[in-house]
Amino acid sequence: MLFKRVGQSKAPQRSALLALSLVVPSLFLSACMSSPEKDINLSTYVDQTEPADVLYNQGLANMNAGRLDEASKKFDAVDRQHPYSEWARKSMVMGAFADYRKGSYDDAISSAKRYLALYPSTDDAPYAQYIIGLSYYKQIKDVTQDQKEARQTLQTMQDLVTRWPNSEYVDDAKEKMRFANDQLAGKEMQVGRYYLERREYIAAVKRFRTVVENYSNTRHVEEALARLTESYYAMGLTSEAQTAAAVLGTNYPDSPWYKDSYKLLQSNGLAPRENAGSWISKAGKLITGA
């Protein structure tokens, strides 16, 4: 009697379990079909189950093959699925580089800045700073446009040189700084010429003076001194005009700009003559063209 009752009691249980096993999958499929926005992304699921080193190496392989979008996805997956791990740290800076390579400069800057905020003292920190500088550098526009990116390049690369003076990126950073300086000087010259053409001499002198005082190691300083000669001469400030021409001749004796300035002064019986008390004379000592 006892065994029979037990046997009889198991039959309904098996039937119930069987029915449940048939119902649950159908309910699951029904839910998936009725809610497509909740479908499982199988590729994401696979990424989540892969080890960090595997994802990282896949990112490197994709980058080497030129598949930059795929590389970025792999590096992002490491950072997302294995946060604050050694692989995540490496992936963060490599992801910034991948963004830079594919021209996503704002993303590269954001990722590299995040890296520096989290890991300011690691061996890859100067590389992250370098990526930021390169990303700004690639966005520098023609001198007829705003030079915000040139200023950002200059500041970022200067920070790199100052904080990591022995870094392998320092030499190229200095090259980029020279270019950015030249762009900023070029912008000042462009605006100064605009004012000069309209005979707004005071405004023009302000721009040319900025070039001589702040960008004395650029190729624009010769023209700036010549334009100062021209502007001061037009204003009747002959002593300043003579000083500008004298400083120009001392530093760039063979310059066509000096020849033009000399002829301008000579047309009124004047000659280049330096006034040691002038700001131009003092600024001239910083010029590296001599």
Side-chain angles (χ1 to χ4, degrees):
M1 291 289 293
L2 177 61
F3 288 111
K4 185 176 181 180
R5 285 198 298 271
V6 172
Q8 288 176 342
S9 65
K10 285 185 178 180
Q13 290 176 357
R14 284 198 297 269
S15 299
L17 289 174
L18 178 60
L20 185 61
S21 68
L22 293 173
V23 171
V24 170
S26 63
L27 289 175
F28 176 77
L29 291 173
S30 175
C32 290
M33 293 174 64
S34 63
S35 304
E37 70 276 9
K38 295 182 179 180
D39 284 352
I40 296 175
N41 186 328
L42 294 180
S43 63
T44 302
Y45 179 77
V46 171
D47 281 345
Q48 291 176 348
T49 60
E50 287 185 301
D53 59 330
V54 173
L55 288 170
Y56 178 80
N57 288 324
Q58 288 174 347
L60 291 182
N62 279 307
M63 181 177 290
N64 291 333
R67 297 187 293 269
L68 300 177
D69 286 336
E70 290 302 314
S72 293
K73 291 177 182 177
K74 293 297 182 180
F75 293 133
D76 287 345
V78 178
D79 188 25
R80 184 176 63 254
Q81 299 302 324
H82 308 275
Y84 306 108
S85 66
E86 181 70 9
W87 294 109
R89 182 182 68 77
K90 293 179 179 180
S91 293
M92 197 182 301
V93 72
M94 291 307 297
F97 178 63
D99 287 334
Y100 165 77
R101 283 277 304 277
K102 64 182 181 181
S104 300
Y105 299 123
D106 289 342
D107 290 338
I109 291 168
S110 177
S111 295
K113 284 185 174 180
R114 178 170 169 253
Y115 181 92
L116 287 171
L118 293 173
Y119 311 107
S121 303
T122 61
D123 291 340
D124 287 329
Y127 184 49
Q129 183 78 9
Y130 183 58
I131 290 174
I132 297 171
L134 288 178
S135 298
Y136 285 134
Y137 172 78
K138 285 290 187 178
Q139 298 181 81
I140 294 177
K141 301 177 180 65
D142 182 82
V143 292
T144 59
Q145 301 182 59
D146 182 70
Q147 292 299 299
K148 177 184 70 174
E149 289 82 9
R151 290 188 290 273
Q152 290 171 320
T153 299
L154 186 63
Q155 183 61 60
T156 302
M157 292 304 193
Q158 182 60 64
D159 289 345
L160 171 60
V161 172
T162 301
R163 293 179 63 185
W164 298 281
N166 299 319
S167 167
E168 61 185 294
Y169 312 109
V170 164
D171 288 343
D172 191 59
K174 290 180 178 179
E175 268 309 306
K176 301 300 188 287
M177 289 169 62
R178 280 190 283 271
F179 179 83
N181 263 316
D182 199 77
Q183 286 291 110
L184 293 171
K187 181 62 179 181
E188 294 294 326
M189 292 300 302
Q190 187 250 337
V191 177
R193 288 189 217 100
Y194 172 87
Y195 288 128
L196 182 59
E197 290 172 2
R198 286 154 182 76
R199 300 182 179 181
E200 298 179 35
Y201 299 119
I202 295 177
V205 164
K206 181 181 178 181
R207 298 292 180 162
F208 301 138
R209 177 170 181 168
T210 297
V211 174
V212 173
E213 289 186 321
N214 298 335
Y215 304 105
S216 60
N217 61 340
T218 69
R219 60 189 174 92
H220 297 285
V221 71
E222 294 179 55
E223 183 185 353
L225 288 166
R227 298 298 186 184
L228 284 169
T229 302
E230 183 180 351
S231 299
Y232 281 131
Y233 181 83
M235 295 168 68
L237 301 175
T238 55
S239 177
E240 291 293 86
Q242 288 174 290
T243 299
V247 171
L248 176 57
T250 298
N251 289 278
Y252 306 96
D254 299 322
S255 170
W257 291 108
Y258 175 60
K259 294 176 182 178
D260 291 343
S261 297
Y262 189 91
K263 288 179 182 179
L264 177 63
L265 294 175
Q266 197 175 44
S267 67
N268 196 31
L270 300 172
R273 186 176 61 192
E274 187 170 347
N275 174 4
S278 169
W279 73 265
I280 306 174
S281 179
K282 296 173 184 177
K285 293 178 173 59
L286 302 177
I287 296 174
T288 58

